[in-house]
Amino acid sequence: MTKEILLNAFDMNTVGHIQHGLWRHPRDQSHRYAELSYWTDLAKTLERGLFDGIFLADVLGVYDVLGGGPEAAIRNAVQIPLADPMLLIPAMASVTEHLGFGVTCTTTYEPPFLFARRMSTLDALTKGRVGWNIVTGYLDSAARAMGLATQVPHDERYDWADDYLDTVYRLWEASWDDDAVLADRNVGFYTDPAKVRRVQGVGRYMMDAMHLCAPTPQRTPVLYQAGASTRGRQFAATHAECVFLNGTSKPQVAALVADLRAQTLHPLKVFVGATVVVGRTDSEAVEKLTEYRQFASVEGALAHFSASTGIDFAKLDMDDPIPSAPTQSNQSNVEAVTTKAASVWTKRKLIDSFILGSRQAPIVGGPETVADALIAWVQEADVDGFNLSRTVMPECLDDFIALVVPELQKRGVFKTAYRDGPLRQKLFGHPRLPSAHRGAAARIV
Ligand SMILES: Cc1cc2nc3c(=O)[nH]c(=O)nc-3n(C[C@H](O)[C@H](O)[C@H](O)COP(=O)(O)O)c2cc1C
């Protein structure tokens, strides 16, 4: 018996997200990312397909490692232009009732007080449908944009993030009592001052503040994280309720999942990245893949992978092994093609692996084939669901909803209606952080 599969659409407020070059496909609409109706239509589509959420990625810098400059990324629309993801959420929430919103925000560059207020505002406006993908950033260009000479070192960024989380937990969980707001016209008190208190920052975060927002349905948003290095997994196990992993092999992902589950004291859902090209039959899907492939961009994929590993692939010959130098960038991406790879990776092999403009190989087939593949991931790698990357938009989601969702429902592994309540309630059965979670300790003041 396979557990119920969770589904997020993986997206970004940009043209090229994961599969690069597909914006050139004549039917692709991703160039409309700056139109509100593009996002409200997308939200309605996802809710029609009973998706659990839309997960919005974000970075704060340009990809300028390939060839030592940003030209390749700019030419190929590799996550540039890139607009703010948070501002899309109220619009999408206004046309949906159940869809969750996971939004990526970094702990490295913004004071926790300001961030916590924006998140609480979103949690209130969405009636508790918001999640936070906690990232620490991996780009030197982002560090420079924020006035630093270089990035905070990899493991230290996670130390900062621990303090950041402990600080925002205090704002979200401890600053206001549940019954602080009276809104009593007769008594004439809006809020009881005895039930709102100042809280202090933790570690490197100097703060002495009252949270400015009244309690929201979830208080702390659902916490997502996607670090797969040793330090990243330690951080994820401490804070994350949902973890995103990327991986090509099921045994490798299964090992990461087992490690995370063993370290985590609270309930945990694991999502794995997936790209699906589905047709009515296997052969129709293969034809579609062939058609899509013509538009994939090797240069765009290299620009992305260079930035997320810190390795300038323009400097490597085609058959040089990929070097495993220490990086302040994304360590798990480097490990995947060096120390933790089953065989030697070269630039040539890397380029050959860019089927649709990224390293994520698509699952290709008719509904039964795709459902078999997704179920195999759940059974063999012990994941709970998928973070579906987009290909040609919005066609890829329309196809998935028309063909794959009914097949998964037929097999009893996908819901046929939404559950009620906030996002955490839908995912875990309770709206607030559970008492075993580190953030719940902040409630004791
Ligand atoms: C599926 C997935 C989505 C991610 N999304 C983002 C993102 O939107 N923004 C970001 O800065 N980092 C993102 N990351 C990077 C992670 O947050 C993290 O920085 C990265 O995995 C490196 O951490 P590690 O060195 O601990 O593995 C993502 C990673 C994965 C696997």
Side-chain angles (χ1 to χ4, degrees):
M1 179 70 185
T2 304
K3 55 192 161 190
E4 186 182 287
I5 291 176
L6 300 171
L7 278 180
N8 282 327
F10 190 28
D11 213 324
M12 200 169 193
N13 197 353
T14 192
V15 178
H17 179 203
I18 301 288
Q19 308 292 4
H20 294 295
L22 297 186
W23 62 270
R24 294 181 300 170
H25 189 288
R27 292 193 297 278
D28 185 71
Q29 296 292 307
S30 60
H31 62 279
R32 291 181 46 224
Y33 74 97
E35 289 172 34
L36 213 48
S37 62
Y38 174 76
W39 294 100
T40 49
D41 287 350
L42 174 61
K44 285 189 257 183
T45 298
L46 294 173
E47 189 151 287
R48 176 167 55 80
L50 301 178
F51 272 61
D52 295 278
I54 176 167
F55 181 91
L56 294 162
D58 196 30
V59 290
L60 294 178
V62 63
Y63 290 169
D64 59 2
V65 177
L66 184 69
E71 291 78 10
I74 294 172
R75 235 187 332 263
N76 291 282
V78 178
Q79 302 189 357
I80 182 168
L82 172 64
D84 192 307
M86 272 181 137
L87 300 178
L88 302 174
I89 293 174
M92 291 194 282
S94 73
V95 295
T96 53
E97 238 183 278
H98 294 286
L99 188 68
F101 304 98
V103 62
T104 300
C105 301
T106 173
T107 50
T108 308
Y109 301 118
E110 184 182 7
F113 177 74
L114 295 178
F115 168 71
R117 185 170 74 141
R118 283 212 316 292
M119 255 323 179
S120 292
T121 306
L122 281 182
D123 200 49
L125 292 176
T126 61
K127 295 199 171 79
R129 287 191 276 151
V130 76
W132 170 26
N133 179 33
I134 311 160
V135 299
T136 60
Y138 58 86
L139 296 173
D140 277 332
S141 60
R144 290 193 302 271
M146 300 306 293
L148 305 177
T150 178
Q151 285 194 81
V152 178
H154 180 273
D155 285 9
E156 206 180 318
R157 293 200 296 271
Y158 283 113
D159 297 341
W160 287 28
D162 276 329
D163 288 349
Y164 196 100
L165 267 289
D166 287 334
T167 302
V168 292
Y169 292 145
R170 289 182 176 189
L171 290 163
W172 285 327
E173 299 287 335
S175 189
W176 290 60
D177 287 350
D178 285 335
D179 55 355
V181 176
L182 305 169
D184 189 328
R185 286 193 164 93
N186 297 325
V187 176
F189 280 9
Y190 194 80
T191 302
D192 182 349
K195 294 185 174 175
V196 186
R197 63 194 59 81
R198 295 191 343 250
V199 291
Q200 278 66 46
V202 174
R204 70 184 317 279
Y205 293 99
M206 300 288 288
M207 185 190 77
D208 178 76
M210 275 182 184
H211 194 40
L212 295 179
C213 296
T216 65
Q218 301 184 111
R219 293 211 178 206
T220 298
V222 173
L223 300 171
Y224 294 78
Q225 209 267 342
S229 64
T230 305
R231 182 65 181 93
R233 286 205 305 282
Q234 190 194 343
F235 178 85
T238 307
H239 299 282
E241 302 172 274
C242 299
V243 169
F244 280 159
L245 296 172
N246 268 337
T248 43
S249 106
K250 293 187 194 82
Q252 174 223 355
V253 170
L256 291 176
V257 174
D259 178 69
L260 278 166
R261 293 202 195 280
Q263 287 190 59
T264 308
L265 299 176
H266 53 263
L268 181 74
K269 304 278 187 203
V270 181
F271 293 74
V272 70
T275 304
V276 168
V277 177
V278 63
R280 280 167 299 183
T281 59
D282 284 353
S283 61
E284 190 182 275
V286 171
E287 272 169 39
K288 197 181 283 180
L289 177 73
T290 310
E291 195 223 343
Y292 285 6
R293 263 191 108 157
Q294 303 164 54
F295 300 95
S297 164
V298 167
E299 188 186 50
L302 272 183
H304 192 165
F305 200 62
S306 279
S308 57
T309 53
I311 300 168
D312 180 1
F313 285 93
K315 288 191 180 145
L316 292 190
D317 284 333
M318 284 304 243
D319 296 308
D320 287 345
I322 296 176
S324 73
T327 179
Q328 297 310 327
S329 186
N330 184 324
Q331 287 188 356
S332 41
N333 273 349
V334 179
E335 287 165 4
V337 288
T338 56
T339 48
K340 293 207 174 140
S343 58
V344 175
W345 278 78
T346 59
K347 181 167 153 184
R348 187 185 305 280
K349 188 167 162 186
L350 188 67
I351 289 173
D352 286 347
S353 76
F354 291 155
I355 296 176
L356 280 179
S358 89
R359 285 194 64 231
Q360 194 166 78
I363 296 168
V364 184
E368 294 86 4
T369 306
V370 172
D372 286 346
L374 297 177
I375 290 168
W377 269 101
V378 173
Q379 288 175 340
E380 292 168 38
D382 191 24
V383 299
D384 299 280
F386 300 91
N387 216 11
L388 273 193
S389 290
R390 57 176 163 88
T391 57
V392 173
M393 278 293 275
E395 160 173 316
C396 61
L397 290 168
D398 289 331
D399 290 348
F400 191 93
I401 291 165
L403 298 169
V404 182
V405 165
E407 181 63 28
L408 294 174
Q409 287 169 328
K410 198 168 90 189
R411 298 193 194 191
V413 294
F414 193 63
K415 60 183 159 323
T416 51
Y418 282 110
R419 288 183 198 88
D420 285 330
L423 180 59
R424 185 178 284 109
Q425 177 95 35
K426 287 182 166 73
L427 294 173
F428 295 103
H430 47 82
R432 302 276 307 276
L433 276 182
S435 53
H437 190 280
R438 169 152 158 173
R443 289 177 198 145
I444 303 150
V445 284

